[in-house]
């Protein structure tokens, strides 16, 4: 029986096995899905399947820079405890080094890493580490000079927050300071021009509605022209200053903006990326008693 890519994909989703293992299981069992799952289980390759519904919202961000290219890779685990595991840290380190040879997370997942794809290496690690693991995302920054910073480091080049900053011009160490600033302030974009237009418009709508309601409730309401021409523009200016990197007050010297600090240092910030573990993942909330009960039931 011909083994199709769809069959391999389906078996991988059901068993958690790697691509080549899934294909071999189907080949050995003439395409029979149930028999293939049993074959994988006998080989100890379907251990990850039971963990498929768990949420991997912890883990590490690995950061690496080579020449004018920097990468930040997020690899998730279920618990923070695993982030301290030497096997997991080695896996993240190897994946991050491999990422330097790729341009996006899809390429990275399929890239060779010691004779296996990164994707299959993660699946194999699940059986050893005992938790659901996943390669979530990869960010790339390129420029004349790229600096990196890892906050809350668990080991060299990896931690809870990874930042990359590219600058044009001679870097005298200021780029690393910018990376530390970004870790602390989490700007949404480099400049106003880089902000999502829908986000800006949504903020303007919120501030407009808020100003109108406040004015309506005020003892001495202001004229509509004051709301439109002064209050709302003032609030939007503050929003842009707080959420764009170049507009933010520089944490190393709050008397000036990051943009001014870059100008004073003779460099131009051209790009940045900030990756925080678990960002945007909705975690399941369970009370301690329920967690213990679930553990005992397994």
């Amino acid at each position: 029986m011909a083994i199709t890519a769809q069959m391999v994909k389906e078996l991988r989703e059901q068993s958690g096995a790697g691509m080549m293992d899934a294909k071999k299981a189907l080949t050995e069992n003439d395409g029979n899905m149930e028999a293939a799952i049993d074959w994988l289980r006998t080989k100890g390759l379907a251990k990850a399947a039971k963990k498929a519904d768990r949420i991997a919202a912890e883990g590490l961000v690995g950061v690496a820079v080579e020449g004018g290219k920097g990468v930040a890779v997020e690899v998730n685990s279920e618990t923070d405890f695993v982030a301290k595991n030497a096997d997991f840290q080695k896996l993240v380190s190897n994946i991050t080094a491999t990422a330097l040879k790729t341009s996006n997370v899809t390429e990275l997942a399929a890239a060779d890493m010691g004779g296996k794809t990164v994707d299959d290496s993660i699946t194999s690690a699940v059986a050893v580490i005992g938790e659901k693991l996943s390669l979530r995302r990869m960010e790339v920054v390129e420029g004349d000079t790229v600096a990196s910073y890892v906050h809350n480091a668990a080991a060299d080049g990896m931690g809870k927050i990874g930042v990359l900053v590219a600058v044009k011009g001679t870097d005298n160490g200021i780029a690393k300071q910018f990376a530390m600033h970004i870790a602390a302030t989490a700007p949404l974009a480099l400049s106003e021009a880089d902000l999502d237009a829908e986000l800006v418009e949504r903020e303007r709508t919120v501030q407009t509605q808020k100003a109108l309601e406040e004015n309506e409730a005020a003892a001495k309401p202001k004229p509509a022209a004051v709301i439109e021409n002064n209050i709302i523009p003032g609030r939007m200016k503050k929003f842009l200053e707080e959420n764009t990197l170049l507009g933010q007050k520089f944490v190393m010297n709050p008397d000036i903006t990051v943009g001014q600090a870059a100008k004073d240092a003779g460099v131009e910030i051209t790009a940045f990326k900030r990756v925080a573990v678990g960002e945007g993942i909705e975690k399941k909330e369970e009370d301690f008693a329920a967690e213990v009960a679930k553990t005992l039931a397994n």
Side-chain angles (χ1 to χ4, degrees), residues 103-230:
S103 58
N104 57 60
V105 73
T106 303
E107 278 186 22
L108 177 57
D112 177 75
M113 190 172 78
K116 286 185 183 179
T117 65
V118 167
D119 201 19
D120 287 344
S121 296
I122 291 172
T123 300
S124 298
V126 171
V128 176
I129 294 171
E131 282 195 9
K132 179 183 178 183
L133 308 175
S134 62
L135 172 62
R136 186 183 179 207
R137 55 179 165 159
M138 166 185 165
E139 298 289 356
V140 180
V141 166
E142 295 182 275
D144 290 357
T145 300
V146 177
S148 66
Y149 171 68
V150 173
H151 184 68
N152 225 354
D156 187 38
M158 64 187 78
K160 291 299 181 183
I161 299 174
V163 178
L164 300 166
V165 181
V167 298
K168 184 187 293 183
T170 303
D171 175 29
N172 59 1
I174 191 79
K176 178 69 173 286
Q177 292 184 22
F178 291 150
M180 294 171 74
H181 170 99
I182 293 164
T185 63
L188 297 178
L190 179 61
S191 65
E192 181 179 351
D194 301 304
L195 271 173
D196 183 346
E198 286 187 14
L199 175 67
V200 175
E201 194 52 44
R202 191 162 66 243
E203 181 66 20
R204 192 185 307 279
T205 300
V206 169
Q207 292 301 337
T208 299
Q209 187 61 35
K210 186 178 178 182
L212 290 173
E213 289 180 4
E214 288 172 351
N215 194 51
E216 189 176 334
K220 293 183 178 180
K222 295 179 175 63
V226 174
I227 303 293
E228 182 67 28
N229 300 325
N230 298 91

Side-chain angles (χ1 to χ4, degrees), residues 8-281:
V8 174
K9 180 175 181 291
E10 184 178 343
L11 180 57
R12 290 192 69 195
E13 290 174 349
Q14 289 189 41
S15 67
M19 181 169 61
M20 297 310 295
D21 290 326
K23 185 177 180 180
K24 186 174 182 181
L26 287 164
T27 302
E28 291 286 329
N29 293 279
D30 297 319
N32 185 301
M33 196 66 65
E34 290 184 5
I37 290 174
D38 288 344
W39 185 90
L40 287 167
R41 290 182 63 197
T42 63
K43 305 291 184 185
L45 297 171
K47 187 174 180 180
K50 293 181 180 178
K51 308 177 189 302
D53 63 341
R54 297 185 186 174
I55 294 177
E58 299 293 343
L60 289 170
V61 174
V63 172
V65 175
E66 190 174 86
K69 179 178 181 179
V71 295
V73 178
E74 180 181 2
V75 183
N76 294 131
S77 60
E78 292 178 64
T79 66
D80 185 50
F81 180 76
V82 165
K84 302 175 179 69
N85 180 295
D87 289 331
F88 181 66
Q89 291 179 359
K90 184 178 180 182
L91 176 69
V92 174
S93 179
N94 289 340
I95 291 173
T96 306
T98 304
L100 284 167
K101 304 166 192 168
T102 67
S103 58
N104 57 60
V105 73
T106 303
E107 278 186 22
L108 177 57
D112 177 75
M113 190 172 78
K116 286 185 183 179
T117 65
V118 167
D119 201 19
D120 287 344
S121 296
I122 291 172
T123 300
S124 298
V126 171
V128 176
I129 294 171
E131 282 195 9
K132 179 183 178 183
L133 308 175
S134 62
L135 172 62
R136 186 183 179 207
R137 55 179 165 159
M138 166 185 165
E139 298 289 356
V140 180
V141 166
E142 295 182 275
D144 290 357
T145 300
V146 177
S148 66
Y149 171 68
V150 173
H151 184 68
N152 225 354
D156 187 38
M158 64 187 78
K160 291 299 181 183
I161 299 174
V163 178
L164 300 166
V165 181
V167 298
K168 184 187 293 183
T170 303
D171 175 29
N172 59 1
I174 191 79
K176 178 69 173 286
Q177 292 184 22
F178 291 150
M180 294 171 74
H181 170 99
I182 293 164
T185 63
L188 297 178
L190 179 61
S191 65
E192 181 179 351
D194 301 304
L195 271 173
D196 183 346
E198 286 187 14
L199 175 67
V200 175
E201 194 52 44
R202 191 162 66 243
E203 181 66 20
R204 192 185 307 279
T205 300
V206 169
Q207 292 301 337
T208 299
Q209 187 61 35
K210 186 178 178 182
L212 290 173
E213 289 180 4
E214 288 172 351
N215 194 51
E216 189 176 334
K220 293 183 178 180
K222 295 179 175 63
V226 174
I227 303 293
E228 182 67 28
N229 300 325
N230 298 91
I231 294 178
I232 295 171
R235 290 184 179 183
M236 289 307 297
K237 181 181 178 183
K238 184 180 179 183
F239 170 77
L240 294 171
E241 287 175 350
E242 291 177 347
N243 292 285
T244 59
L245 176 59
L246 298 181
Q248 289 179 336
K249 299 297 183 184
F250 189 28
V251 293
M252 308 297 178
N253 180 5
D255 291 334
I256 60 175
T257 64
V258 172
Q260 186 62 49
K263 186 177 180 181
D264 292 347
V267 300
E268 177 189 351
I269 303 173
T270 56
F272 80 89
K273 291 293 181 182
R274 180 185 187 275
V275 180
V277 169
E279 201 170 39
I281 299 177

